[in-house]
Amino acid sequence: MSAASRRESQEEILEAALASLTDADIPPADDELYGWPDPDFDRPAALAGLDAAELGELAADGSVPATPGWPLSFQAPPGPEAWPAGFGPRDRSRDGPGFADGGVLDVLAAGLPLAGFAADTHDRLVQVTDDELVGVLRAWRRVTSWAAAGELAAVAELARRRPADGSPPAFPGRLPLNVSEFVPEEVAAALTLTGRAAQDEVTLALDLAGPLTDTRSALAAGRIDLAKAKIIAAGVATLSAAHATAVQAMVLPDAPDLTTGQLRRVIARAVLAADPGAAARQREEDLQHARVDCWPDPAGTASLAGYYLPAAAVLAADARLTRIARQWQNQGAVGGIDLLRAWAYLALLLGQDTGAPPPCLLPAGPPAATRGPDDPSEGDPYPGAAPGGKVDPGPDEARIAADQAPAGDRSAASSDRRGTAADQAGTAADQGRTAADQTRIAPDGTPVPAGQHRPMAGGADAGLPPLAGSVNLTIPLATLLGFSQAPGAAAGYGPLDPGTARALACAAAGHRATRWHITVTGPAGRALGHGAARAVAAPDGGDWTVAVTAEPLAAGCCDHRTAEAGYRPSPALQRLIRGRTTSCSWPGCGRPAVRCDLDHTIPHDKDGLTCECNLAPLCRRHHRCKQAERWRLEQPMPGIMAWLTPAGRRYITLPSQHPD
């Protein structure tokens, strides 16, 4: 065989290839790679040889131009015009770079790429133009909508995995026939939400996973935000799936360019067009969920509001407040009409006389001259108040209130127009304020126990009637006696400034049903002991004599000193448990312990003790939650509760922390 026809071996081919390489073809060694210029991060070639001092001089002279970086300088590639994701552009020019008006990032659909571009710009916000800054702002709103859609999708998947007790599991991607009623508890604990907020989130998640898939897609793309998704879901709540789909098709195209108020009106018209009976069904359903909420405001004031009430009755009540406020204005009360309406609202609820304004609303000097009945108030947004004397509702509002009342109560609704004297007499009788119950009488007629400080006359808290309802007030003893300005607290409400706490204590002391309890606390505010206080007034009307009997609370290892043989704890043991933990033991539940069940953590019929170490307050809902499938509750130490959810997550609650 000739040399020309012989096949070369692999080794010979490799040697020939290596022999043909030049120096430019040979890659650098590892130690030679360090120092190579990086086009993305290193200096430009024109500045590569300058040291730090020279660069500083150039920057001071303005010789180094500040050029916009990625993604602000990104120019959209040429192509067909696309409808923007998110809120409509301002002028639809679509010719700017990056986040500028009409730039590709200004109209990019929500998702991980947009989140990345927005995050890249975060550290350079001071460098962007106003136009680009608005684009970044719009981008973050779309990213927020996308994130909210992801969160709600996770909630819906959690609900899919939680069929109700006794229901078969759902197929992948499908919801079970009945979802466990305690899914909101898992969501509330995971996201530190209130029970109502968690229930609303679960309801919205199930709606978006069911009949509102188009709304879910718009939210995920950033075309609408979470507030608009909630409005759409609430608007179609009583519609069938077919009608809900039709309403979405009508409102979603224009939803990005509508405010929430405009969208709400558009949906209302679309719902009436799709199903004329839907509004009536929604109204009847909402009336079944009417409620009154009370919550603290940041500055120490409070708010009280009613929801889902009959519209006609609310309008009549609103008109009555205006009439009382205008009457008070004619009697010299100072302040705007809104302020006077608010005080009239409180006076009516407290059963106080509305024939004259409260002292705190009158000027410090001589009373202002009363305006005559024909003297108009220019620019008053609430005309029509009755001048002078007792405030009577007008005939229209009285007729509305009577029509709203049941047949047997219409005569009472009508007679209410004649004044409130009978109501006040009944209230005083109910409160049982007899002479024997009172130690001292304040000028406004309310009893003031000796040793307690009455709120300043004419102050915001002056004139509170004796508290006949159940208000569980916790107040440091030094604050009660006026020696400290430490705050108090009301169960189910929250902290109270010392003046408000003392005013409530005075009001509570004026009712014969009031009971005083003493809780001894440690440095951290945890209860160490709890007992009852029995106050006995001196025969000569002097200071009270207070006898306190307190029992120590178990901590750490329980010695079962307070254990009882029966199932139901004695009143003394109940007071110990509720003194240690003043609200429901579920994380974040604020229902006062006095309105909760005292639950045996280990069931009594399974050898659970009726003892401090095995009892805890649970509201009825969370008592049932503890008994649901795959839920567990443990009490490793007295008052320390460990909740184990179906997902295996553990949440710990501690005994209440009392005011210092």
Side-chain angles (χ1 to χ4, degrees):
M1 180 181 296
S2 64
S5 61
R6 184 176 64 82
R7 298 182 60 183
E8 294 180 320
S9 66
Q10 292 294 324
E11 291 78 4
E12 292 172 337
I13 296 174
L14 179 59
E15 290 177 359
L18 291 175
S20 65
L21 292 176
T22 64
D23 292 342
D25 296 323
I26 299 175
D30 291 343
D31 56 350
E32 297 175 339
L33 287 174
Y34 182 77
W36 277 31
D38 188 323
D40 293 327
F41 297 98
D42 288 345
R43 301 176 187 172
L47 305 177
L50 301 180
D51 58 21
E54 293 170 329
L55 286 174
E57 293 177 0
L58 288 177
D61 295 339
S63 303
V64 181
T67 58
W70 173 265
L72 301 178
S73 61
F74 181 73
Q75 186 74 35
E81 185 178 33
W83 185 260
F87 306 117
R90 285 149 291 152
D91 59 9
R92 293 186 168 91
S93 59
R94 295 186 179 85
D95 58 358
F99 283 112
D101 185 18
V104 65
L105 300 182
D106 190 40
V107 298
L108 183 64
L112 192 59
L114 182 62
F117 294 141
D120 288 343
T121 312
H122 178 72
D123 293 334
R124 296 198 302 277
L125 285 179
V126 296
Q127 302 175 15
V128 304
T129 66
D130 289 356
D131 183 23
E132 293 165 335
L133 186 59
V134 172
V136 174
L137 174 65
R138 286 157 38 89
W140 279 120
R141 173 52 65 97
R142 297 199 300 278
V143 169
T144 301
S145 300
W146 169 70
E151 178 183 323
L152 291 167
V155 171
E157 175 61 21
L158 182 65
R160 186 191 70 79
R161 302 182 186 188
R162 299 290 184 268
D165 293 352
S167 298
F171 293 103
R174 301 285 298 275
L175 293 173
L177 185 61
N178 295 302
V179 174
S180 170
E181 65 175 306
F182 300 115
V183 172
E185 268 60 39
E186 278 198 85
V187 174
L191 303 181
T192 59
L193 299 177
T194 64
R196 183 171 290 133
Q199 180 64 62
D200 292 344
E201 176 140 344
V202 171
T203 300
L204 179 61
L206 294 176
D207 288 341
L208 295 181
L212 302 184
T213 54
D214 292 341
T215 300
R216 178 190 63 192
S217 299
L219 180 66
R223 298 193 65 242
I224 62 173
D225 57 19
L226 183 59
K228 294 181 180 179
K230 290 179 177 179
I231 290 174
I232 294 173
V236 303
T238 58
L239 299 182
S240 65
H243 285 149
T245 301
V247 169
Q248 289 178 93
M250 296 171 64
V251 303
L252 281 175
D254 296 328
D257 297 320
L258 300 176
T259 66
T260 53
Q262 292 171 331
L263 179 61
R264 190 176 285 109
R265 292 189 288 272
V266 168
I267 290 174
R269 289 193 293 267
V271 168
L272 289 176
D275 184 359
R281 292 196 303 272
Q282 184 68 55
R283 182 172 61 252
E284 293 302 320
E285 180 178 336
D286 287 348
L287 285 174
Q288 301 305 313
H289 296 89
R291 71 179 193 272
V292 175
D293 281 351
C294 170
W295 65 95
D297 297 325
T301 57
S303 297
L304 179 69
Y307 298 91
Y308 306 123
L309 301 172
V314 168
L315 291 174
D318 183 76
R320 187 178 185 191
L321 292 177
T322 300
R323 290 177 181 273
I324 296 174
R326 293 294 294 123
Q327 161 66 24
W328 287 356
Q329 274 191 335
N330 291 339
Q331 294 177 334
V334 296
I337 195 71
D338 288 336
L339 174 66
L340 301 182
R341 278 165 46 87
W343 278 94
Y345 174 54
L346 281 179
L348 288 172
L349 289 176
L350 293 173
Q352 297 173 340
D353 183 15
T354 57
C360 64
L361 296 179
L362 294 175
T370 302
R371 289 190 294 267
D374 298 327
D375 185 12
S377 178
E378 184 177 356
D380 187 359
Y382 301 96
K390 202 67 176 174
V391 177
D392 293 338
D396 292 338
E397 63 190 81
R399 183 178 64 254
I400 291 173
D403 291 342
Q404 288 283 331
D409 296 337
R410 290 184 182 177
S411 60
S414 177
S415 64
D416 184 59
R417 293 183 297 162
R418 303 295 184 257
T420 59
D423 295 338
Q424 292 158 3
T427 300
D430 291 340
Q431 292 169 345
R433 289 172 48 195
T434 63
D437 295 328
Q438 301 174 6
T439 303
R440 289 187 295 133
I441 304 298
D444 60 1
T446 57
V448 183
Q452 290 193 15
H453 292 260
R454 180 69 185 163
M456 293 179 60
D461 295 314
L464 284 179
L467 292 180
S470 176
V471 177
N472 294 94
L473 176 69
T474 302
I475 178 171
L477 182 60
T479 299
L480 179 64
L481 298 178
F483 300 139
S484 171
Q485 293 299 309
Y493 175 83
L496 298 168
D497 65 84
T500 302
R502 280 192 287 267
L504 286 173
C506 279
H511 198 276
R512 61 183 180 182
T514 297
R515 297 295 181 266
W516 298 90
H517 299 275
I518 302 295
T519 301
V520 181
T521 61
R526 309 292 179 191
L528 301 178
H530 186 79
R534 184 171 57 88
V536 179
D540 58 357
D543 291 346
W544 286 4
T545 300
V546 180
V548 178
T549 304
E551 289 284 341
L553 285 162
C557 295
C558 182
D559 58 6
H560 309 307
R561 177 182 51 82
T562 59
E564 299 174 352
Y567 169 76
R568 184 176 298 277
S570 66
L573 183 54
Q574 292 182 37
R575 288 193 294 268
L576 281 178
I577 302 302
R578 289 172 173 142
R580 179 189 69 194
T581 306
T582 60
S583 62
C584 173
S585 296
W586 170 260
C589 182
R591 184 171 293 273
V594 293
R595 302 208 302 266
C596 292
D597 303 331
L598 289 186
D599 170 66
H600 288 74
T601 308
I602 300 174
H604 188 263
D605 58 2
K606 295 182 179 178
D607 299 328
L609 297 176
T610 303
C611 182
E612 292 177 70
C613 60
N614 196 48
L615 290 173
L618 293 179
C619 70
R620 186 55 55 89
R621 176 175 178 85
H622 294 128
H623 194 168
R624 294 174 51 247
C625 177
K626 172 219 174 186
Q627 297 169 342
E629 291 182 4
R630 301 174 61 189
W631 285 85
R632 285 177 53 197
L633 177 60
E634 300 170 349
Q635 191 169 178
M637 288 187 288
I640 299 178
M641 313 302 295
W643 290 84
L644 193 67
T645 71
R649 296 273 180 152
R650 184 181 296 269
Y651 300 95
I652 306 295
T653 62
L654 302 175
S656 300
Q657 187 170 12
H658 296 268
D660 295 335

